[in-house]
Amino acid sequence: MEAAQCLGKDVAVRMLAELDRITEEQDRSATFELIRMLNDRGVGEAEREQIGYALQRLADPRAVGPLTEIVRDRDRPDEVRRAALWALEGSDIFPAGPGMRNWWDLGDDLVRGCVLRQATRREADLLEPVLSDPRHPLHRDALVGIGSTFEEPHWQRFKIAALANPDPAVRRTAAYQLGWDEPVAAESGLHRVAASDSSVEVCCAAIDSLRYYSSRATLRLLHELARGNDARAMEARTAAAGLLSDFEDERSHIGEWLAPVADLLGAPDVDATTEIDTAPGQSGTPRSRFPIPSASELITLYSDPDGPWEPKLAVMRRRVIGNGWDAMPEPDRHGLAAFLSGHPDPQVRALCCWALSSWDEVDSLLALAHDPDEGVRQSAVYNFRFVPRSHEIATLTWDLIASGEVAGTRGQETLVVCAAHTPPGDLEDRLIELARNDLREDIRAEAVTLLGDRVEPLLPLLSEPPLLTWAVHIRLLDACRSSGVRPAAVNDLQGVDNLHVARALANLSR
C-alpha cells in the first residue's frame, strides 16, 4: 500500500511538472489523472487552480461525468467542488439546456452561481429574479450572465444600476460588463465610477470599459485621469491611447468636430499613405494549401479520444482557413459528414459545419442547428449562408429570430442567413418591423443594412434617442448616403458626441 501511495505521488509530481505541455497540447491522455488530482484533498490551492485550468483547456467530453459527480457531492470540500465547476465552466463541455435546469434545481448556491454565469437567453427566467434583488448573494453572478447577448434596455438597466451597489465586487463586475454592449445610457455612470469610486479596482474596470465609448467627453476624462502614477492613472493612459488612435484616424474627415479635443491629438502625419510590407517573392502568392487527409484517416484520427487534441483540431482548422473541404472525394463525403456531425466533442461538431456547407450536407447542418451546445448551433446557422436557398432554413432562422432566442452577433448572423434563404422582397415588411420595434440592437441594425435603399419608412428613427448605441442611426445615415437621400433629422444629430456618428454625418455631406 505504501509503495502504491509513493507511486501515486510520483505520478502527481510528474503531472504537475508537465501541466504547461498538457495544457498547450490539450493532451487528453492526462484527463483522468488530472481529475484524480483535482479531487485529492492533499493538493494545494494554487496547484488545484492549475489543474482546473488544464482541464478547462482539455475540454474532454469524458470529463463531464466525473467532474459532475464531484460538483454534486456536497460532502466534498467546497474548494474541490469549486475547482471542478471551474473546469466545466471554462470549457465547451458545460451542461446546457435541461442540464443547467437540473443543476439549478439542486438548490445549491455554489452550483447556482455557476448556472447564472453560464446562462443563455433560454435561462432568462432564472436571471431575472436575482438581478431584481441588488442584495441577492448571487447578484454578481447574474450580472456576469447578462454580460453579452442580453442587449435589450431591460437588461442593461440592471448593469447600470449595479454601478451604485454597496458591494465593490458587484460594482466592478457591472463596470466591466458594460464594456460589452457599450450602452450610451451607461457612459455618465462609468464616468462617475472611473473618477471617484472608493475602490481602485472598480475605477480601473470602469476605465477599461470606457475605451470603447467613442465620445469627446470620454477622451477628455481619460486624459485627466491619466495624470499620475497610480494604478488608475496607468489604466487610463492605456485606455486613452487606444481611443486616441481612433480619433486621430478621423482627423482629415471631421476636423471641425474634433476641435474641442484638438489639444489631445498628436501631430498629423506628413504622409498618411500606408504601404503594405510584403516579403520578397511573396507578392500575390496564394495561401499554401495543406494536404487533405483521407476520410478514413480523419475517422481514425478523431475516433481516438486520447492524446494531444490541439493538433487534431488544427487539422480541421486548416481545412477552414486553407483550401477548404472541396478536395474530399464525393463518395467519401456523406459517411465522413455523419461521423463528424455525430462526434461527442462539440469542438469537432462546430468545426465540421464548414465541411457540411462545402458539401451541401444540408440535413446534417439542420440537425446541428438544434445541437445541445450553443457554439455548435451558432456554427451551423452561420454556415447555412453557403448552401443553396432553402425554405426550411428560411423558416428555421426566422423562427429563431422571432422566438427571441438569438441576439448580439448570433442574432445578426441569423438574420443575414434568413435573408439569404428568403426570396427577394418577401422579407422587406418584416425587416422594417424589426428595425422599428425590436429591442435587440444588432438585429435592428442588420435589418437596416439588409433593406439597402428601401429605408425611407425608417427615417423617423433618426430623430429618436438610441435604444442601446448609435448603431441604427449610423446604418441609416450610411443607407441615405448610398441612395442620395439627405434626411431632415440630420440637424438633430449634429450635436451628438460620438465619433462614429460624426463620421457618418461627414460622409453624408460629401
Side-chain angles (χ1 to χ4, degrees), residues 116 119-132 139 142-162 174 177-178 181 183 186 404 407 439-440 467-468:
L116 292 172
T120 69
R121 292 176 67 87
R122 292 178 175 182
E123 289 78 43
D125 60 308
L126 303 181
L127 290 160
E128 180 92 22
V130 181
L131 289 165
S132 299
H139 191 73
L143 288 171
V144 173
I146 62 168
S148 61
T149 76
F150 288 81
E151 53 188 330
E152 296 94 328
H154 171 72
W155 301 107
Q156 301 299 324
R157 283 193 285 271
F158 290 122
K159 291 190 280 189
I160 295 170
Q177 298 300 339
L178 285 166
D181 293 320
L439 298 177
R440 293 164 293 180
L467 193 65
L468 180 69

Side-chain angles (χ1 to χ4, degrees), residues 116-380:
L116 292 172
R117 294 191 298 272
Q118 292 293 307
T120 69
R121 292 176 67 87
R122 292 178 175 182
E123 289 78 43
D125 60 308
L126 303 181
L127 290 160
E128 180 92 22
V130 181
L131 289 165
S132 299
D133 180 4
R135 297 187 178 277
H136 196 288
L138 301 179
H139 191 73
R140 180 170 172 265
D141 301 288
L143 288 171
V144 173
I146 62 168
S148 61
T149 76
F150 288 81
E151 53 188 330
E152 296 94 328
H154 171 72
W155 301 107
Q156 301 299 324
R157 283 193 285 271
F158 290 122
K159 291 190 280 189
I160 295 170
L163 290 174
N165 194 284
D167 184 346
V170 172
R171 297 199 303 275
R172 181 185 182 191
T173 296
Y176 175 77
Q177 298 300 339
L178 285 166
W180 287 101
D181 293 320
E182 307 157 38
V184 172
E187 190 165 9
S188 60
L190 286 171
H191 281 197
R192 172 182 54 77
V193 171
S196 60
D197 197 275
S198 58
S199 165
V200 173
E201 290 186 339
V202 175
C203 289
C204 288
I207 290 168
D208 184 63
S209 289
L210 282 170
R211 75 174 67 197
Y212 304 109
Y213 287 73
S214 302
S215 71
R216 293 168 299 192
T218 289
L219 182 62
R220 177 67 66 184
L221 174 70
L222 292 176
H223 176 74
E224 295 298 326
L225 295 178
R227 296 174 178 174
N229 294 308
D230 60 357
R232 187 178 69 170
M234 289 189 286
E235 188 72 41
R237 283 196 288 274
T238 300
L243 191 55
L244 191 61
S245 65
D246 294 337
F247 275 69
E248 290 176 338
D249 287 344
E250 301 296 343
R251 190 200 309 265
S252 61
H253 305 289
I254 52 174
E256 185 177 345
W257 184 86
L258 290 172
V261 291
D263 58 307
L264 306 182
L265 307 181
D269 294 334
V270 176
D271 182 4
T273 303
T274 301
E275 296 184 1
I276 300 175
D277 186 14
T278 305
Q282 291 191 3
S283 177
T285 302
R287 184 188 299 273
S288 61
R289 298 171 69 89
F290 296 96
I292 294 283
S294 68
S296 61
E297 288 172 333
L298 287 169
I299 289 173
T300 298
L301 181 68
Y302 292 110
S303 292
D304 179 10
D306 250 344
W309 204 249
E310 173 54 32
K312 295 183 182 185
L313 292 177
V315 172
M316 293 188 73
R317 292 195 189 103
R318 285 197 295 266
R319 302 290 74 72
V320 172
I321 64 175
N323 61 339
W325 292 89
D326 53 305
M328 183 65 64
E330 289 194 22
D332 296 338
R333 294 178 180 181
H334 187 71
L336 182 58
F339 170 78
L340 294 174
S341 61
H343 199 277
D345 190 325
Q347 296 176 92
V348 172
R349 299 199 302 277
L351 284 169
C352 85
C353 291
W354 297 86
L356 300 180
S357 64
S358 179
W359 304 334
D360 290 341
E361 289 278 349
V362 177
D363 288 344
S364 294
L365 269 181
L366 284 167
L368 291 179
H370 299 282
D371 194 271
D373 183 85
E374 185 173 19
V376 176
R377 297 197 302 272
Q378 182 173 353
S379 181

